[in-house]
Amino acid sequence: MFRNKVLVRAIPSSAPPPPFLLRQVSFSAAAPSLDLDILCCRLSRSHRLACLPQPPTDALVIYQRCQSRAADEVVSKIAAAFPIASVGEEEEVVCSGSLVAKAIECGLRCLMLEHGWSFVGESIYVETMFAASEERTDLCALNVEVRSGPNDHFDFIVSPDAFRFTAHKISDIASSSMMETFEHSKEVSLDGCNLQTACAILPTLKECHVIAFSKSLPPGHSLDKFIEFCSIKHGLETNYSYHAAVKLTHGDSWEKQWLPSSFILQGSALQPALKSVRALKAMSSLRSFIEFLKAWNFFGQHQLVIKEQLILNCATTLPSWKKAITVHTARADYSEDFAHVALLKPSFSRPKRADTNNTRHFSVESSDADSLNKLSDTSLPKSSLRCFTKATHANPVNSSSASNIKQVIQEVQEGHQGGDHARNFKASEYLKRKHAEFLGNSGEGGNVKDYIPDVLQETRSMPDIQEDFLSTKAIQPKSKSMGCKGKMTATTKLKRKPEVVTNEFNKKVVDHQKDEFSKKITRVKVKAKDELTSTRTKARLDVDKDELMAKVIDHHKRGELHLLTVAELKGFLSTKKAKVGGSKEVLIQRASELLS
C-alpha cells in the first residue's frame, strides 16, 4: 500500500506569503492528555488555525496575522479549561520548518474532516467512517506527508491508493459455548493468540490480538472521552453493539484495553482494493486531494496556488494518471532528497559522424581480393582515377597507368566473385601481365613499389579534390613506428616484390577452395547421417504402431481393454484418426466401437 508518491507543491495566493505567528500557553499543573487533545482539535476546527497540544504543560497556537483575533479567542478558551501559569508574547516562527509543517498538518486534517474523510494512523486519510455497510467495498485512501519546501513553498508528498476493510467479529472465532456465555452478558475470554485473533485497531492502526469480548464494559472502565476524541480528531463513527479487549502485539505494554467492536478490524486493517479498480480509485483519491487544496482557505490567506506536481516514484505504471496530474520537470535548484524524479524521458543523442573528407585506411599487405574490394569502394570520384595531374611521389603516375590500375581491380574482383578456380587462376595471370605492362609504360625507374604509395596507400595521403583534379599531400610515417622490433612498418611492407604478392594471392585462393571443398564433404556426410537416422526412426515407429494395434486387438478380444493405459488407448485412437480427449472410460468405449 501507498508505494506511489506524488509531490504537490503549493504556495498561498498572497506573494510573498507572510510568516506564521506563535503564542505559547503554559499550564500551572499537568493537564489531562486526552482532555487537552480534544480541546485543541475542537478549537483548531472551529477557528481554522493550528492549536497544537504539548502535554503535559503546554499548548502552541500558530496562526497568521489576519487571524490574531481568532488566536486571542483560542487562548481565552484554553485558559478557561485549564489553570494557566503564563501566555507567551506573540512571535514570528522563524527557522523552524518542522513547526510550520505541524501547523499545516493540523489545518489539512481539519480540511479533510470537513469533506467527510477520516484520519487514521500517522498520516492516512480514508474516505469512510468504517461503518458496517462499507465493509468489503473499495474505498479511496491517501497517505500525506507535509514538508516545508524552498522559497516559501509547501510540499505535500501524496501517496494515493484504494483499500477495503473487514470488521473483526466474535462469531468468526468464538465456539458455541463461548457464544452462549456471551449472550448471557458475561465476559468471554479467548485462549491464546493466533491468526484468527490477529487484528488492527482504530484509529492508530496498531497490530493487536483480541483476547476477550463483552456486551457491557467491566466496572471502572469508560469510553466516553475516547469516543469523543475519535469523533473530533479522526472523524470515526462509533456505532457498535459490544466491546472487545485487545493486547498490543509490539511494545512493552501488555495491559488489556477495551474498545468498541467497530474499531477492531481483521488482519492489517487496510487491505488493497481489487486490482481491477485500484488504479481508478487511486486516481480519484489524488484528484479529490488536489481539488481540496485549491478550495482551501489557507489560514485566512484565501486559496493555495498549485505550482508543481511531480511523480516521485511509481512502483506500478499507471498510464491513466496522466489525466489526473500534470507532470512538470523538476527544477535544478530543488535539491531535497525526496525530489528525485523517477520517471525520466530517455535522451537519445546521435554520435557525430566522422569527417567525410577523411580517407579510408587500407594496408598494402592486404593483397587478396577483400582488400581490392575495399579499395574499389572508396569515396574517391571516378575522375580522380582517370586523371592525375600531379603527384608528390618521385615517380609520377600518368592517366593511362591509373586506368590500367582501375581495370586490374575490376578484373580481379570479377575473378574472385566467380568462385571458380580456373577463373581465379586466369585473373591472377592477368594481374601479372598488367603489372608487366604497367612497368613498361611508367618510364624509367618505374616499378610496383613506386606507384603503390600514390594510389593504394591511402593511409599516408590526404586527398584534395578540386575541379576534377586530385592532389595528395604525403605524410611521412613517424620514426617511432618504424623502430618497433619484430613489426613490419609501412616502408618494409612496400619493399615486397610483385611476384611475392601474386604468389601469396594464388595461395590464398587455393586454400580458400580447399576449405570450401572440405565443408561440402562435411555437409554431405551430415545429411546422409540424418537421412539414415530418420529412416530408422520411421521404421521403429511403424513397428511400435503394429505392436500397439496387436496389443489393443488382443485385449479387446479378451474383454480387457480396461487393463490398457490411457497413453496406449490414445495412441491406438490416434492411429485410427479418432478423438483422443475425455476420460479413460470414454476412450475405452471409443476403441470398442472402432474394433466391433
Side-chain angles (χ1 to χ4, degrees):
M1 293 282 293
F2 306 115
R3 292 182 296 174
N4 304 312
K5 297 182 183 299
V6 178
L7 169 63
V8 180
R9 180 168 292 165
I11 191 172
S13 56
S14 58
F20 280 91
L21 303 176
L22 167 67
R23 297 186 70 179
Q24 182 174 355
V25 181
S26 299
F27 310 131
S28 58
S33 178
L34 191 58
D35 291 342
L36 179 60
D37 212 344
I38 292 174
L39 179 61
C40 287
C41 291
R42 194 183 299 276
L43 294 174
S44 298
R45 295 184 65 176
S46 60
H47 291 78
R48 298 183 183 276
L49 45 71
C51 184
L52 306 179
Q54 304 291 310
T57 59
D58 294 294
L60 302 178
V61 181
I62 302 177
Y63 55 96
Q64 288 288 319
R65 177 68 64 187
C66 60
Q67 297 176 306
S68 296
R69 181 176 296 180
D72 292 338
E73 295 179 2
V74 170
V75 171
S76 299
K77 292 183 178 181
I78 294 176
F82 304 103
I84 293 180
S86 63
V87 177
E89 295 293 332
E90 183 181 81
E91 57 181 305
E92 291 186 1
V93 180
V94 293
C95 301
S96 181
S98 61
L99 190 58
V100 172
K102 289 291 184 183
I104 298 176
E105 285 178 358
C106 179
L108 178 64
R109 182 173 63 248
C110 298
L111 173 70
M112 299 299 288
L113 293 177
E114 289 176 1
H115 286 86
W117 290 57
S118 299
F119 173 66
V120 294
E122 296 292 334
S123 55
I124 299 175
Y125 298 95
V126 292
E127 195 178 19
T128 178
M129 295 185 179
F130 293 94
S133 59
E134 295 176 318
E135 285 190 55
R136 297 182 178 88
T137 59
D138 299 311
L139 305 167
C140 295
L142 292 164
N143 190 356
V144 184
E145 181 182 356
V146 180
R147 298 185 184 182
S148 180
N151 302 326
D152 299 321
H153 288 75
F154 306 121
D155 293 337
F156 302 89
I157 313 300
V158 186
S159 298
D161 214 322
F163 79 103
R164 50 175 47 199
F165 73 94
T166 304
H168 203 287
K169 300 179 179 60
I170 183 176
S171 58
D172 295 336
I173 57 176
S175 61
S176 56
S177 59
M178 290 181 179
M179 290 300 299
E180 185 177 355
T181 303
F182 175 76
E183 292 297 333
H184 288 83
S185 300
K186 295 182 180 181
E187 180 180 335
V188 175
S189 298
L190 302 177
D191 298 331
C193 299
N194 51 49
L195 291 177
Q196 289 184 329
T197 62
C199 64
I201 61 173
L202 297 174
T204 62
L205 298 183
K206 291 182 177 179
E207 296 180 355
C208 303
H209 281 280
V210 178
I211 58 175
F213 294 98
S214 178
K215 282 192 173 182
S216 58
L217 282 174
H221 291 79
S222 176
L223 295 178
D224 294 340
K225 290 287 184 182
F226 176 75
I227 292 174
E228 182 182 3
F229 168 76
C230 291
S231 177
I232 293 296
K233 185 175 182 178
H234 297 276
L236 295 176
E237 183 179 300
T238 53
N239 185 14
Y240 61 99
S241 56
Y242 61 93
H243 305 82
V246 298
K247 280 187 177 181
L248 293 175
T249 303
H250 305 288
D252 299 331
S253 177
W254 281 88
E255 182 181 357
K256 182 187 296 185
Q257 180 182 359
W258 286 95
L259 295 172
S261 59
S262 58
F263 281 20
I264 302 176
L265 307 179
Q266 288 184 2
S268 58
L270 306 185
Q271 303 165 0
L274 296 178
K275 186 177 181 180
S276 58
V277 299
R278 188 176 180 181
L280 294 177
K281 281 288 184 180
M283 189 176 66
S284 176
S285 303
L286 183 60
R287 278 201 299 261
S288 298
F289 180 78
I290 299 297
E291 294 301 324
F292 296 161
L293 286 187
K294 291 180 179 179
W296 185 10
N297 184 8
F298 185 76
F299 288 86
Q301 298 185 69
H302 306 294
Q303 297 177 344
L304 283 176
V305 177
I306 307 298
K307 289 292 186 180
E308 290 179 300
Q309 300 174 48
L310 303 175
I311 297 179
L312 299 184
N313 66 289
C314 190
T316 305
T317 304
L318 301 178
S320 55
W321 280 26
K322 295 180 181 179
K323 300 179 181 179
I325 65 174
T326 302
V327 181
H328 302 279
T329 304
R331 292 184 296 184
D333 60 347
Y334 190 68
S335 59
E336 295 290 334
D337 293 339
F338 58 85
H340 173 68
V341 180
L343 300 183
L344 299 177
K345 293 183 178 181
S347 176
F348 299 97
S349 60
R350 181 173 296 177
K352 294 183 178 179
R353 297 183 61 182
D355 190 0
T356 55
N357 291 330
N358 291 342
T359 57
R360 300 187 181 182
H361 301 276
F362 301 99
S363 176
V364 179
E365 67 180 0
S366 302
S367 57
D368 57 358
D370 292 335
S371 299
L372 296 174
N373 286 338
K374 293 180 182 178
L375 182 60
S376 65
D377 292 334
T378 57
S379 58
L380 298 178
K382 294 181 179 180
S383 59
S384 65
L385 292 177
R386 292 195 304 268
C387 183
F388 288 86
T389 61
K390 60 180 179 177
T392 59
H393 195 267
N395 296 302
V397 181
N398 55 28
S399 59
S400 61
S401 300
S403 301
N404 289 336
I405 294 172
K406 181 180 178 183
Q407 188 176 3
V408 169
I409 293 172
Q410 294 176 350
E411 293 286 347
V412 173
Q413 283 182 330
E414 293 174 357
H416 176 70
Q417 294 174 355
D420 184 76
H421 175 66
R423 291 182 60 189
N424 286 336
F425 181 78
K426 181 178 179 181
S428 63
E429 291 296 323
Y430 183 77
L431 180 61
K432 291 180 182 179
R433 187 172 65 256
K434 288 298 181 181
H435 284 169
E437 292 177 4
F438 177 80
L439 294 177
N441 296 331
S442 59
E444 294 182 0
N447 51 42
V448 74
K449 68 178 183 181
D450 289 332
Y451 76 81
I452 286 179
D454 288 288
V455 180
L456 296 180
Q457 192 188 1
E458 293 187 15
T459 58
R460 298 303 176 191
S461 63
M462 296 175 62
D464 184 12
I465 303 173
Q466 292 182 357
E467 298 181 358
D468 206 30
F469 292 97
L470 173 66
S471 65
T472 59
K473 300 178 181 180
I475 302 177
Q476 298 298 329
K478 295 183 180 180
S479 58
K480 292 183 179 180
S481 63
M482 297 175 62
C484 297
K485 186 177 181 179
K487 295 184 179 179
M488 293 184 65
T489 62
T491 305
T492 306
K493 295 173 184 176
L494 294 178
K495 293 181 180 180
R496 300 170 68 184
K497 296 182 179 181
E499 293 79 8
V500 177
V501 175
T502 305
N503 293 336
E504 289 182 359
F505 176 77
N506 294 335
K507 183 176 181 301
K508 289 185 178 182
V509 171
V510 173
D511 293 340
H512 176 72
Q513 292 177 350
K514 288 181 178 179
D515 293 339
E516 291 295 330
F517 182 76
S518 178
K519 291 179 181 179
K520 289 182 180 180
I521 294 298
T522 304
R523 286 196 294 266
V524 171
K525 290 181 179 179
V526 172
K527 184 177 180 181
K529 184 177 180 180
D530 292 341
E531 291 177 353
L532 180 61
T533 304
S534 176
T535 303
R536 292 177 178 176
T537 304
K538 185 176 180 180
R540 185 168 60 253
L541 290 176
D542 293 337
V543 173
D544 294 340
K545 289 181 180 179
D546 294 337
E547 292 178 355
L548 179 60
M549 289 285 293
K551 185 176 181 179
V552 173
I553 294 173
D554 181 63
H555 280 67
H556 174 68
K557 291 179 179 179
R558 293 182 294 171
E560 297 177 350
L561 285 178
H562 61 279
L563 298 178
L564 296 173
T565 64
V566 174
E568 291 173 338
L569 291 170
K570 289 185 176 181
F572 169 76
L573 293 173
S574 63
T575 58
K576 298 294 185 179
K577 297 183 180 181
K579 295 182 179 180
V580 295
S583 62
K584 186 175 182 179
E585 289 74 17
V586 174
L587 298 177
I588 293 174
Q589 181 180 358
R590 202 172 291 155
S592 299
E593 293 175 355
L594 291 173
L595 294 173
S596 59

